[in-house]
């Protein structure tokens, strides 16, 4: 039996600060379009030419839980380009001393799937470093697009619409 990717961070910020930072996806992961802060909201994250994922927010409990369903995806670096489709990304938040713990799980990103190593390394970088920094300092280190990989707003919106349509 394989295990889903999970990592835990302990932060000096409160559970509510952690919740708010998680929902500011573009401040710790990278540019998104759509809604990240309302149940049934949908958003898209893209690394041009490499990866895009569409998400539906399925649970929000302030200071406690954020959960997204992957409604559509494309991973350029594995044979099953839609490997993330139907997986769930979950952030469970709890008080811990003067701060909080955040348990991040990508349910369906299991040790036996082809993108596990690459995707786990990326999640580790973004959750353990960028999100943690955003919660504690107010500044994350999201992926920034430059040069040929930079998408224009209308291109990003077209990707968002395509993922949303595929999820219906």
């Amino acid at each position: 039996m394989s295990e889903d990717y999970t990592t835990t961070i302990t932060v000096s910020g409160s559970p509510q600060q952690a919740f708010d930072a998680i929902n500011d996806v573009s401040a710790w992961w990278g540019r998104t379009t759509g809604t990240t802060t309302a149940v049934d909201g949908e958003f898209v994250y893209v690394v041009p030419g490499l990866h895009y994922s569409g998400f539906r927010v399925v649970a929000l409990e302030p200071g406690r839980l954020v959960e997204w369903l992957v409604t559509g995806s494309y991973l350029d670096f594995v044979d099953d380009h839609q490997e993330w489709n139907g997986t769930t990304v979950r952030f469970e938040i709890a008080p811990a001393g003067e701060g909080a713990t955040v348990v991040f799980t990508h349910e369906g990103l299991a040790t036996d799937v082809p993108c596990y190593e690459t995707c786990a390394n990326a999640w580790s970088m973004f959750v353990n470093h960028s999100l943690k920094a955003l919660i504690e300092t107010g500044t994350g280190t999201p992926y920034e697009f430059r040069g040929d990989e930079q998408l224009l707003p209308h291109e990003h919106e077209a990707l968002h619409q395509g993922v949303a349509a595929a999820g219906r």
Side-chain angles (χ1 to χ4, degrees):
M1 178 176 215
S2 63
E3 293 184 30
D4 295 321
Y5 176 75
T6 189
T7 189
T8 302
I9 57 174
T10 301
V11 296
S12 59
S14 71
Q16 188 61 44
Q17 286 172 303
F19 178 83
D20 293 342
I22 291 163
N23 286 305
D24 190 359
V25 179
S26 61
W28 63 269
W29 194 10
R31 184 175 172 200
T32 63
T33 58
T35 302
T36 63
T37 59
V39 172
D40 292 328
E42 294 186 351
F43 68 98
V44 174
Y45 170 79
V46 178
V47 177
L50 183 67
H51 166 216
Y52 76 78
S53 294
F55 299 88
R56 179 178 305 117
V57 179
V58 295
L60 290 173
E61 296 177 25
R64 296 189 58 223
L65 177 70
V66 175
E67 188 171 291
W68 310 325
L69 173 67
V70 180
T71 58
S73 67
Y74 182 86
L75 304 171
D76 185 53
F77 51 92
V78 292
D79 290 337
D80 179 2
H81 298 304
Q82 296 180 332
E83 190 172 285
W84 280 21
N85 288 11
T87 63
T88 300
V89 175
R90 182 179 306 110
F91 301 82
E92 297 171 284
I93 308 161
E98 301 278 322
T101 59
V102 177
V103 177
F104 171 89
T105 302
H106 188 156
E107 185 177 294
L109 177 59
T111 55
D112 61 350
V113 299
C115 90
Y116 183 83
E117 186 175 333
T118 300
C119 295
N121 285 337
W123 277 131
S124 178
M125 179 180 66
F126 287 113
V127 173
N128 296 345
H129 303 286
S130 184
L131 177 59
K132 182 176 173 63
L134 180 62
I135 296 166
E136 295 185 333
T137 70
T139 303
T141 53
Y143 189 81
E144 295 183 16
F145 306 106
R146 295 189 174 99
D148 291 342
E149 69 181 4
Q150 185 172 357
L151 293 177
L152 298 174
H154 74 278
E155 293 171 315
H156 212 283
E157 183 57 27
L159 283 168
H160 174 73
Q161 295 303 322
V163 169
R168 291 186 199 120

